[in-house]
């Protein structure tokens, strides 16, 4: 027996190894461990880090969707959040509600599809809310300004408010999942950088060996029956060395800004989350903005308000502008506040940060198995993958879905809309391509220096969290 085979024989075999220790990876480990199976979570940085998309105070839990399948996912997720909160003994959401409002003529390039107007965007969620017996209210421009500190809205602005939406306490969510996963028996390992997954035979079983380094130096390996890849923007660091293809990622360096609000007398209160829809301005800069109320777990009288777009987009996290936050994205938000929000100081953000928002061509999830033809003899449906899309609101659901995929072989949430093999209608855009991530950017990622130029700010990618609707082929 070779020394390598001897080492493998001595290693424990996990039922599941999860690569990626963010909220989705931790949720998967929690669900697998709760099901009585052995599981290890491998995180390349420390847990609760700011290297991906979860290093912030808050995200939206949202139920207002135009697409029926997404509305149903959000509806199903509501009960799963309740179950998670009961298990951890803590509230993970502030259910403030959500106000969508804006220009009824808003259309092309918008967040709910290329040719869907805001009236359709409002009508679509309304029909889905009605079908599921969920409450909502429609507002006129005057009613919006009466209830919120918004001013100077055009007379034809419309709004839709739904109470079954809320602010996710991201730090508490991550720490609760980490603790619960460990309490149910999961092994958590940080500073483990996975370099390759390869199929092996052990005791006449077809298994997987996960190899990598610990703290950047010590070689380390894990043996598992099934694998879950849930490392967000870093997915190609694992996928290409292991399976010789890459995902065509468009990674947005999203800027989040927090601004000081009037603490009184006659202080400013943002009563709920909100999202503002309007057409791009003359400079082709996005006029999609969102905001949160001041958070009980955050600084007092400080609210997150930001543009729902990104000027900087890359195809590899290594290209991130680590020490630069795009000034144009911040200035867009400052101008919106100055024009439309009373009692919020637009002079300078209280603080700013950026995160990596991972997308594919249709801004939708990838939730699937690695196709059999790429597994090099590994067992079919033994490597599950999740990446892309705006997923924080679905964290409990995705943990259950990935658990079911690797323990039961399928999940009702592994849908054609999330297929790793999907294409656009004419087949010109795909989720995956052979070979490594290209050094040069693809046309859709446009890796110019997207900071301010002599002619003004560059156009942004926009329509992020309200995401474009996909046409699915194949």
């Amino acid at each position: 027996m070779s020394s390598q085979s001897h080492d493998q024989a001595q290693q424990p075999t996990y039922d599941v190894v999860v690569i990626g220790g963010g909220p989705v990876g931790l949720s998967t480990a929690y669900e697998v461990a709760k099901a009585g199976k052995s599981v290890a979570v491998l995180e390349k940085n420390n847990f609760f880090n700011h290297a991906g998309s979860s290093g912030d105070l808050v995200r939206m839990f949202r139920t207002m969707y135009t697409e029926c399948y997404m509305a149903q996912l959000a509806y199903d997720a509501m009960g799963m959040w309740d179950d998670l909160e009961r298990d951890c003994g803590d509230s993970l959401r502030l259910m403030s509600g959500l106000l969508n409002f804006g220009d009824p003529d808003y259309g092309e390039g918008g967040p709910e599809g290329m040719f869907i107007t805001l009236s359709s965007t409002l009508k679509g969620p309304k029909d889905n809310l009605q079908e599921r017996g969920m409450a909502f209210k429609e507002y006129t421009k005057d009613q919006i300004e009466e209830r919120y500190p918004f001013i100077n809205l055009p007379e034809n602005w419309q709004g839709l408010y739904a109470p079954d939406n809320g602010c996710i306490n991201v730090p508490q969510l991550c720490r609760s999942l980490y603790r619960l996963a460990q309490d149910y028996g999961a092994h958590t390992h940080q500073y483990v950088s996975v370099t390759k997954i390869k199929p092996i035979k052990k005791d006449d079983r077809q298994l997987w060996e996960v190899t990598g380094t610990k703290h950047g130096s010590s070689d380390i390996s894990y043996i598992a029956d099934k694998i879950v890849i849930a490392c967000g923007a870093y997915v190609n660091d694992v996928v290409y060395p292991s399976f010789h293809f890459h995902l065509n990622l468009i990674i947005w360096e999203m800027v989040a800004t927090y601004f000081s609000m009037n603490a009184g007398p006659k202080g400013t209160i943002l009563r709920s989350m909100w999202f503002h829809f309007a057409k791009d301005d003359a400079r082709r800069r996005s006029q999609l903005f969102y905001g949160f109320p001041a958070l009980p777990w955050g600084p007092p009288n400080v609210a997150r308000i930001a543009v729902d777009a990104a000027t900087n987009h890359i195809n590899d996290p290594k290209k991130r502008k680590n020490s630069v936050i795009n000034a144009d994205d911040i200035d867009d938000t400052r101008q919106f506040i100055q024009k439309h929000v009373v009692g919020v100081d637009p002079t300078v953000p209280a603080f700013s940060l950026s995160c990596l928002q991972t997308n594919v061509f249709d801004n939708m999830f990838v939730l699937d198995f690695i196709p059999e033809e790429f597994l090099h003899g590994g067992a079919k449906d033994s490597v599950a993958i999740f990446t892309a899309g705006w997923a924080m609101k679905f964290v409990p659901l995705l943990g259950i879905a990935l658990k079911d995929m690797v323990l039961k072989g399928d999940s009702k949430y592994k849908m054609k809309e999330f297929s790793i093999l999907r294409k656009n209608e004419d087949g010109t855009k795909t989720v995956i391509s052979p070979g490594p991530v290209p050094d040069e950017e693809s046309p859709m990622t446009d890796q110019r220096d997207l900071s301010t130029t002599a002619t003004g700010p560059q156009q942004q990618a926009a329509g992020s969290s309200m995401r474009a609707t996909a046409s699915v082929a194949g």
Side-chain angles (χ1 to χ4, degrees):
M1 179 184 292
S2 69
S3 61
Q4 183 179 15
S5 298
H6 177 75
D7 290 342
Q8 290 175 351
Q10 299 301 309
Q11 285 181 280
T13 298
Y14 289 98
D15 293 309
V16 180
V17 163
V18 178
I19 301 170
V24 173
L26 289 172
S27 181
T28 303
Y30 158 63
E31 293 292 344
V32 170
K34 191 167 65 169
K37 302 297 184 179
S38 59
V39 57
V41 187
L42 311 181
E43 168 56 47
K44 72 178 297 181
N45 298 298
N46 61 287
F47 287 101
F48 324 128
N49 65 73
H50 289 241
S53 62
S54 58
D56 193 8
L57 294 174
V58 65
R59 292 288 188 276
M60 284 189 182
F61 172 75
R62 177 167 71 89
T63 58
M64 286 200 281
Y65 281 92
T66 296
E67 309 94 332
C68 290
Y69 70 92
M70 291 301 294
Q72 189 60 47
L73 252 65
Y75 183 79
D76 290 354
M78 292 174 66
M80 298 174 188
W81 277 99
D82 293 341
D83 292 342
L84 176 59
E85 288 174 332
R86 279 190 291 268
D87 205 14
C88 74
D90 206 349
S91 176
L92 302 174
R93 298 164 297 165
L94 173 67
M95 298 303 286
S96 68
L98 170 64
L99 172 70
N100 283 351
F101 72 104
D103 179 0
D105 296 324
Y106 177 82
E108 184 174 354
E112 288 288 348
M114 289 299 291
F115 303 105
I116 298 179
T117 65
L118 178 62
S119 57
S120 298
T121 300
L122 292 175
K123 181 179 181 298
K126 186 170 75 170
D127 291 346
N128 283 323
L129 293 169
Q130 285 177 323
E131 183 178 336
R132 290 160 181 81
M134 301 173 71
F136 63 88
K137 294 180 181 179
E138 296 179 81
Y139 289 157
T140 65
K141 169 261 188 188
D142 289 339
Q143 290 171 325
I144 294 168
E145 292 186 342
E146 179 184 346
R147 290 164 172 78
Y148 290 82
F150 296 128
I151 58 171
N152 301 324
L153 301 181
E155 289 298 326
N156 64 334
W157 254 222
Q158 301 172 8
L160 182 71
Y161 171 82
D164 291 318
N165 298 263
C167 309
I168 299 170
N169 184 337
V170 175
Q172 186 68 23
L173 170 66
C174 293
R175 285 157 179 79
S176 296
L177 288 170
Y178 180 82
R179 174 179 57 82
L180 286 172
Q182 289 184 324
D183 288 347
Y184 280 107
H187 294 176
T188 54
H189 303 275
Q190 58 188 4
Y191 303 114
V192 174
S193 182
V194 173
T195 54
K196 192 172 185 179
I197 308 166
K198 62 181 180 181
I200 61 168
K201 282 285 186 72
K202 179 181 178 184
D203 300 330
D204 295 324
R205 295 173 61 195
Q206 186 69 57
L207 301 172
W208 292 94
E209 182 180 24
V210 181
T211 58
T213 59
K214 179 87 168 178
H215 292 289
S217 56
S218 304
D219 292 337
I220 196 166
S221 70
Y222 302 83
I223 307 296
D225 184 34
K226 301 290 178 65
I227 304 292
V228 173
I229 303 172
C231 46
Y234 299 85
V235 65
N236 284 324
D237 291 348
V238 177
V239 166
Y240 171 66
S242 305
F243 308 115
H244 302 156
F245 71 86
H246 70 273
L247 283 82
N248 298 311
L249 301 182
I250 308 100
I251 305 170
W252 297 3
E253 294 189 59
M254 295 289 290
V255 175
T257 45
Y258 288 76
F259 289 85
S260 297
M261 299 193 299
N262 177 16
K266 297 182 179 180
T268 300
I269 297 176
L270 288 163
R271 299 185 182 280
S272 74
M273 303 183 303
W274 54 270
F275 196 101
H276 172 265
F277 297 81
K279 298 175 184 178
D280 290 356
D281 67 13
R283 304 169 304 157
R284 302 177 70 191
R285 299 291 294 177
S286 175
Q287 297 302 297
L288 305 176
F289 295 94
Y290 67 89
F292 292 87
L295 304 168
W297 57 89
N301 305 109
V302 171
R304 176 173 164 179
I305 302 175
V307 63
D308 197 39
T311 299
N312 297 337
H313 4 116
I314 55 180
N315 67 352
D316 189 326
K318 299 181 186 69
K319 300 174 182 177
R320 182 179 193 174
K321 296 175 175 63
N322 290 313
S323 58
V324 177
I325 297 177
N326 189 273
D328 294 327
D329 290 345
I330 296 174
D331 196 52
D332 291 339
T333 304
R334 291 179 57 252
Q335 291 181 40
F336 175 82
I337 293 170
Q338 189 166 27
K339 184 175 181 180
H340 291 299
V341 190
V342 174
V344 176
D345 188 346
T347 307
V348 64
F351 56 95
S352 304
L353 55 94
S354 67
C355 71
L356 298 181
Q357 173 56 49
T358 306
N359 300 293
V360 290
F361 72 89
D362 55 7
N363 287 7
M364 182 46 73
F365 300 154
V366 177
L367 176 63
D368 206 347
F369 290 108
I370 298 293
E372 187 175 12
E373 60 263 35
F374 297 107
L375 296 180
H376 309 299
K380 182 177 182 292
D381 295 345
S382 60
V383 181
I385 185 169
F386 174 82
T387 191
W390 278 258
M392 193 71 73
K393 61 187 71 67
F394 297 111
V395 161
L397 181 146
L398 291 168
I400 291 171
L402 289 161
K403 178 264 295 183
D404 286 345
M405 288 170 66
V406 292
L407 297 187
K408 299 179 181 179
D410 201 5
S411 167
K412 68 178 182 178
Y413 301 115
K414 188 181 78 68
M415 301 158 57
K416 67 178 183 179
E417 290 85 358
F418 308 150
S419 169
I420 197 170
L421 297 177
R422 69 185 185 269
K423 305 174 182 179
N424 66 341
E425 282 188 335
D426 63 9
T428 57
K429 295 179 181 179
T430 61
V431 174
I432 62 173
S433 294
V437 177
D439 288 335
E440 71 280 3
E441 299 291 337
S442 67
M444 67 173 61
T445 56
D446 189 17
Q447 183 57 21
R448 294 172 293 173
D449 179 7
L450 294 173
S451 59
T452 304
T453 68
T455 58
Q458 296 286 343
Q459 184 182 11
Q460 300 149 305
S464 57
S465 63
M466 299 296 182
R467 192 200 25 67
T469 304
S471 296
V472 180

